[in-house]
């Protein structure tokens, strides 16, 4: 059974850091693109970051470049998002996601989603 399970969300002050984790089961991450998207209240969901071992590719949204870092541990079948220098505008529900069906890589769209974890940046 395919499953993505996130952890690591929470409340942090502006300028602080959080690390999100996503554990995958039922498929091996090194065959797929995996990453994170987020949705803030009243806004559309946007891709934040993506990594593909298969394609040797990574992606970051302009709004997080230099602050966020994605990494993958293929041995553990886990992906991580280290978020530094957090801003109030980073507040959103963060979703771990993969290109499970399309397999189009980081240049395509995610098509399988986890439940989401809330990240709130506030003083």
């Amino acid at each position: 059974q395919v499953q993505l399970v996130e952890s690591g969300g929470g409340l942090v002050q502006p300028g602080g850091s959080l690390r999100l984790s996503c554990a995958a089961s039922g498929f091996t991450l090194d065959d797929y693109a995996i990453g994170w998207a987020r949705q803030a209240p009243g806004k559309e969901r946007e891709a934040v970051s993506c990594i593909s071992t298969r394609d040797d590719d990574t992606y970051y949204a302009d709004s997080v470049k230099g602050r966020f870092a994605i990494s993958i541990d293929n041995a553990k079948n886990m992906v991580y998002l280290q978020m530094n220098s957090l801003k109030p505008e980073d507040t959103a529900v963060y979703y771990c996601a993969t290109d499970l069906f399309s397999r189009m890589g980081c240049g395509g769209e995610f098509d399988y989603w986890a439940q989401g974890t809330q990240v709130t940046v506030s003083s």
Side-chain angles (χ1 to χ4, degrees):
Q1 180 180 358
V2 173
Q3 195 172 18
L4 296 171
V5 179
E6 303 145 322
S7 60
L11 173 65
V12 64
Q13 292 187 341
S17 298
L18 279 176
R19 189 176 82 152
L20 304 182
S21 301
C22 178
S25 58
F27 69 108
T28 53
L29 288 181
D30 57 7
D31 286 337
Y32 297 85
I34 183 84
W36 301 85
R38 68 186 181 186
Q39 187 166 22
K43 295 187 177 181
E44 292 187 357
R45 189 156 51 184
E46 62 169 346
V48 173
S49 186
C50 177
I51 188 167
S52 172
T53 302
R54 181 192 68 209
D55 301 328
D56 191 22
D57 189 23
T58 56
Y59 163 83
Y60 293 98
D62 288 343
S63 57
V64 306
K65 281 181 181 176
R67 300 188 298 121
F68 290 12
I70 193 168
S71 60
I72 191 168
D73 186 332
N74 286 313
K76 295 182 178 179
N77 224 33
M78 292 193 67
V79 64
Y80 307 94
L81 185 69
Q82 179 66 43
M83 304 185 294
N84 300 324
S85 301
L86 283 161
K87 304 175 181 180
E89 51 263 44
D90 294 317
T91 296
V93 177
Y94 283 71
Y95 299 89
C96 179
T98 184
D99 66 342
L100 185 69
F101 301 109
S102 71
R103 303 193 68 186
M104 292 183 66
C106 291
E109 294 186 356
F110 297 130
D111 53 28
Y112 189 86
W113 305 81
Q115 291 298 309
T117 185
Q118 178 69 45
V119 171
T120 302
V121 185
S122 175
S123 55

